[in-house]
Amino acid sequence: MSELAVRVEGLRKSFGSTRALDGVDLEIPTGTVLGLLGPNGAGKTTTVRILTTLLRPDAGRAWVAGHDVVAEPQAVRRAIGLSGQYAAVDENLTGLENLYMVGRLYGLKRAAAKARARELLERFRLTEAAERPSKTYSGGMRRRLDLAGALVAAPSVVVLDEPTTGLDPRGRLDTWSMISELVADGATVLLTTQYLEEADQLADSIVVIDHGRAIASGTADDLKAQIGGERLQVVVAQSGQVDLARSVLAEVGTGEPVVDDHLRRVSVPVSGGTKALVEALRRFDGEGVEVLDVAMQRPTLDDVFLTLTGHPAADGDTQKTEGAA
């Protein structure tokens, strides 16, 4: 337990007839980032709410920073910082006042709370906006202020529930940089996300959760290795040729082709590298299929997710009970 910042065993939680968690297990070594992946309704937020003492599990146990989340909730709360899916800032207070208030709620003395607030405003590049009401902040600035609020008490475990949802590309990159800095400073991070490139970039290990169960775990490379080596991807010129392209790649590849009708794109795992590519192009030429683009590529986490769950990461059946919990 001393080497694990978070440990979860057999968590179960139901809302009425809907089972949001169905026996989830996971471990996060101290000083690392665990990416918890899954579509809407998979159970990510329910897991976060249990680990942060906002919900009690129906069964199973969980420890955060060595403390049982049910038996020692106050100790868990002192050890964690939480940034949820939506920035939790008081829009009528300035950035400085928001962080000062959080510091005082954590029991810091006035001078210490103000000093910590200014330190975090500088770290998150909000010093120039410190005296402005947060309702004048952009979405990215509010997200940075919310993340700063999660760090006021210098927690050893930081829980980030889809921290970049709704941010523009610049805001997302800024948040990634801040998360990397947290880990460099020794923090442990639980990151829930639907953005697979985010997990690929930040996570030391990944757990894929779907329908309340952890269905796969490992490093990004481990998960990619599960679905084979290279993939052959083609984009055809005409929508009417997508099915024909799929049939050709089904014969050339080593697995079931994945089709994106909207983009007229078909991909399939292959062995043999360039030999498979040459054979596919020969067959396309013989069938009169016009190919606009062709590429050989390693599997991505998107491929992993599609293989494991049967749908892309952005899809999935949303369990409304989880969101309303």
Side-chain angles (χ1 to χ4, degrees):
M1 286 293 293
S2 61
E3 297 180 358
L4 295 176
V6 177
R7 182 178 178 182
V8 173
E9 295 180 351
L11 279 192
R12 298 180 184 274
K13 183 66 181 180
S14 296
F15 301 102
S17 61
T18 300
R19 178 162 288 179
L21 296 181
D22 192 18
V24 170
D25 300 310
L26 59 87
E27 294 181 346
I28 312 178
T30 299
T32 66
V33 179
L34 175 73
L36 189 61
L37 301 185
N40 288 332
K44 303 188 304 295
T45 296
T46 299
T47 301
V48 164
R49 287 173 171 161
I50 290 174
L51 292 177
T52 55
T53 74
L54 299 176
L55 278 177
R56 292 175 65 94
D58 297 333
R61 297 188 68 186
W63 298 263
V64 176
H67 304 289
D68 187 297
V69 298
V70 174
E72 306 170 272
Q74 292 296 343
V76 171
R77 292 167 194 159
R78 285 192 292 268
I80 64 172
L82 170 64
S83 180
Q85 293 182 25
Y86 307 100
V89 299
D90 188 320
E91 295 189 344
N92 293 315
L93 298 181
T94 67
L96 177 62
E97 289 168 342
N98 266 282
L99 298 186
Y100 174 80
M101 176 183 66
V102 173
R104 293 291 287 157
L105 289 172
Y106 268 109
L108 298 181
K109 295 185 181 300
R110 289 186 176 86
K114 185 165 290 188
R116 181 62 171 161
R118 293 195 181 280
E119 175 190 345
L120 289 169
L121 287 167
E122 181 177 359
R123 179 175 182 177
F124 285 88
R125 299 187 301 281
L126 292 169
T127 301
E128 292 184 2
E131 304 296 341
R132 283 168 41 194
S134 61
K135 63 184 176 184
T136 67
Y137 287 13
S138 67
M141 293 171 68
R142 291 188 193 189
R143 170 56 67 190
R144 297 197 324 255
L145 182 62
D146 182 66
L147 184 53
L151 304 181
V152 167
S156 60
V157 177
V158 181
V159 181
L160 305 177
D161 191 11
E162 301 192 15
T164 60
T165 297
L167 294 185
D168 59 24
R170 173 60 188 274
R172 187 174 300 168
L173 289 175
D174 284 345
T175 303
W176 290 4
S177 177
M178 293 166 197
I179 293 171
S180 297
E181 290 175 12
L182 287 178
V183 178
D185 289 342
T188 301
V189 177
L190 171 61
L191 170 71
T192 78
T193 182
Q194 294 184 68
Y195 299 119
L196 299 185
E197 74 275 16
E198 188 162 270
D200 214 350
Q201 176 78 19
L202 297 173
D204 297 293
S205 59
I206 293 169
V207 172
V208 181
I209 186 172
D210 195 29
H211 297 294
R213 288 181 172 271
I215 59 174
S217 63
T219 67
D221 286 340
D222 290 339
L223 295 177
K224 292 173 186 177
Q226 291 184 17
I227 63 169
E230 294 178 305
R231 294 184 71 85
L232 171 59
Q233 176 177 287
V234 300
V235 177
V236 299
Q238 300 175 30
S239 298
Q241 295 184 322
V242 169
D243 287 340
L244 185 54
R246 181 190 180 284
S247 298
V248 169
L249 291 187
E251 296 175 0
V252 172
T254 59
E256 184 67 21
V258 175
V259 178
D260 187 325
D261 289 309
H262 178 69
L263 297 177
R264 305 187 307 280
R265 183 174 64 198
V266 186
S267 66
V268 69
V270 296
S271 60
T274 56
K275 290 183 180 180
L277 172 61
V278 171
E279 177 63 16
L281 291 177
R282 184 186 69 78
R283 296 194 184 198
F284 284 140
D285 185 57
E287 296 286 352
V289 177
E290 183 181 355
V291 176
L292 294 182
D293 187 39
V294 61
M296 295 291 295
Q297 56 187 203
R298 291 188 63 212
T300 65
L301 281 180
D302 294 85
D303 299 320
V304 172
F305 201 95
L306 181 61
T307 300
L308 292 173
T309 69
H311 52 72
D315 295 335
D317 298 326
T318 300
Q319 297 175 3
K320 295 181 180 180
T321 50
E322 183 186 7

